[in-house]
Amino acid sequence: MVMQMPEKFNKYWAEYSLILSCAAILNPCYKLNYVQYCFTTIYNAHASNFVQIILNNIKLLFNEYVKNSKSMSSSLAK
């Protein structure tokens, strides 16, 4: 059972850290530099991989927002 705990923790932390990181980047107090610093402190050499995943997800989120914004504005213009 003890051996399974770190595996479960890492699984859930990977999902949760993505959400927290996106929120921190969008927060004017922290931004991307803070997230990069935190991931470098935690993961050392692998930090850039995690930061790139977070940036890709933020870009996807923004693209979805733009798509919904355009469809909403075109429906209001009619």
Side-chain angles (χ1 to χ4, degrees), residues 39-58:
F39 275 94
T40 303
T41 303
I42 296 170
Y43 297 113
N44 294 327
H46 302 291
S48 61
N49 295 337
F50 289 107
V51 171
Q52 191 59 45
I53 290 169
I54 293 165
L55 288 175
N56 289 340
N57 280 296
I58 286 181

Side-chain angles (χ1 to χ4, degrees), residues 25-78:
I25 290 171
L26 295 174
N27 185 336
C29 296
Y30 297 118
K31 297 292 184 189
L32 180 60
N33 290 334
Y34 180 72
V35 173
Q36 287 174 329
Y37 168 76
C38 290
F39 275 94
T40 303
T41 303
I42 296 170
Y43 297 113
N44 294 327
H46 302 291
S48 61
N49 295 337
F50 289 107
V51 171
Q52 191 59 45
I53 290 169
I54 293 165
L55 288 175
N56 289 340
N57 280 296
I58 286 181
K59 288 177 185 175
L60 287 171
L61 182 65
F62 179 74
N63 290 337
E64 189 69 26
Y65 169 78
V66 169
K67 186 174 75 173
N68 288 339
S69 173
K70 286 181 182 179
S71 68
M72 188 65 126
S73 65
S74 67
S75 67
L76 291 175
K78 292 181 181 179

Side-chain angles (χ1 to χ4, degrees), residues 8-33:
K8 288 182 180 183
F9 175 79
N10 289 334
K11 175 187 169 195
Y12 293 118
W13 174 245
E15 295 172 12
Y16 195 66
S17 67
L18 175 64
I19 296 167
L20 286 175
S21 299
C22 290
I25 290 171
L26 295 174
N27 185 336
C29 296
Y30 297 118
K31 297 292 184 189
L32 180 60
N33 290 334

